[in-house]
Amino acid sequence: MLIIIFGMIAFTVAGAYWLARGAGEKRLVLAQNPDGPRAFGCAMAWLAIRSDDAESVIEAMRLEAATPCNWNSGIGAVYDDWLGAARIFVSPPVDGWTFVVGLPLPHPLGSGFVDKCTPLLVELGGRFDEVQYYFSYPPIDYYAWARVKDGRLVRAFAVSDEGIIWNKGRPSKEERALGLKLFELRGVRGRKGDAGGELILHPTEDHVMRLANRWSIDPTILCEEHAPVGLGYIAVPPHGWRAERLRKAA
């Protein structure tokens, strides 16, 4: 199911890209009057990067065709049914954090796919003091989070309706405080049936937002009071972020 869903997302990314190109400027109108933060996060992927320089973030991530826009246009674009599949919003800074928001961000997809998420996070971690990754997509019970500090991936986790697909580093104290613990039934891993394998208290979208609030900022509660008015950017993601299956050895 996970492979099918993300295959559909990848197809939509390509379709949306060509539709947007064909529709020209009439399809995407970006307001450039500075405004304050707008809430986001539900059914969305995003990075929180410790930086006050959106332009440096755009350069580091190799985003293309970056165009200034305000919060309202940027968040509206990434949530649009068509544009959102082929656009990334880079926000103005909020309390020392710059957000990179959009479903085209690389996602951990399991052992059958090239891992494009970890290398991106580690590369960004070499340029910024801290980088955090979040993804919440309730329709397929997909939830993920990761944290890079001082250039080192200290924690990465993702789970879907098919089980755990990404699990690096030890659970943080913030995760444990939310009751997100992974249990192993020792001695029965190889057995079939309900008694075998691993058990996890399955996270929810609320857990993702609460963890974001402990690590940086919960984006679902952002409002104009959190930061001065400003402009961010709408950009096109690199082609290299697209999902890619691992090639089988000949």
Side-chain angles (χ1 to χ4, degrees):
M1 177 63 71
L2 183 64
I3 294 174
I4 295 174
I5 292 293
F6 279 100
M8 292 175 63
I9 291 176
F11 178 80
T12 304
V13 167
Y17 175 75
W18 290 109
L19 178 65
R21 286 189 61 179
E25 293 302 319
K26 293 182 180 179
R27 175 60 177 154
L28 181 59
V29 178
L30 299 172
Q32 296 185 357
N33 53 306
D35 61 0
R38 296 294 190 270
F40 66 90
C42 297
M44 185 53 63
W46 74 96
L47 300 176
I49 300 176
R50 178 66 81 176
S51 174
D52 286 321
D53 188 347
E55 289 81 4
S56 293
V57 171
I58 291 169
E59 177 187 2
M61 298 186 69
R62 302 179 183 88
L63 299 177
E64 303 170 1
T67 303
C69 70
N70 62 18
W71 277 93
N72 194 53
S73 281
I75 296 301
V78 296
Y79 271 104
D80 183 87
D81 289 341
W82 286 101
L83 292 176
R87 294 292 187 276
I88 294 290
F89 175 59
V90 182
S91 78
V94 180
D95 294 336
W97 296 94
T98 293
F99 295 106
V100 181
V101 188
L103 290 176
L105 284 168
H107 311 314
L109 295 175
S111 59
F113 290 82
V114 177
D115 181 2
K116 297 188 175 184
C117 191
T118 302
L120 174 63
L121 297 180
V122 172
E123 181 181 358
L124 292 174
R127 297 192 57 169
F128 304 100
D129 292 338
E130 184 166 356
V131 178
Q132 299 170 11
Y133 171 85
Y134 302 94
F135 189 22
S136 177
Y137 207 77
I140 55 172
D141 285 331
Y142 187 103
Y143 306 100
W145 52 84
R147 193 178 196 182
V148 178
K149 296 186 71 174
D150 301 321
R152 186 172 67 92
L153 182 69
V154 296
R155 180 61 174 149
F157 183 83
V159 63
S160 75
D161 55 3
E162 295 184 349
I164 298 168
I165 56 177
W166 202 32
N167 192 15
K168 300 181 180 182
R170 296 182 177 180
S172 65
K173 63 180 181 180
E174 293 86 1
E175 290 170 78
R176 295 194 299 270
L178 294 176
L180 297 173
K181 299 179 181 179
L182 177 66
F183 300 92
E184 179 183 337
L185 295 179
R186 299 184 183 278
V188 297
R189 176 183 284 273
R191 292 174 53 185
K192 296 181 180 180
D194 293 339
E198 297 173 333
L199 295 178
I200 182 172
L201 176 61
H202 212 287
T204 65
E205 192 163 68
D206 180 64
H207 285 115
V208 177
M209 304 313 166
R210 288 164 62 192
L211 182 61
N213 189 54
R214 291 171 182 256
W215 280 359
S216 53
I217 298 173
D218 175 357
T220 64
I221 62 173
L222 283 176
C223 64
E224 294 186 353
E225 297 177 358
H226 283 93
V229 297
L231 288 177
Y233 294 87
I234 276 288
V236 176
H239 291 288
W241 286 4
R242 295 180 180 179
E244 180 182 353
R245 287 183 178 273
L246 286 171
R247 296 181 179 178
K248 296 183 179 180

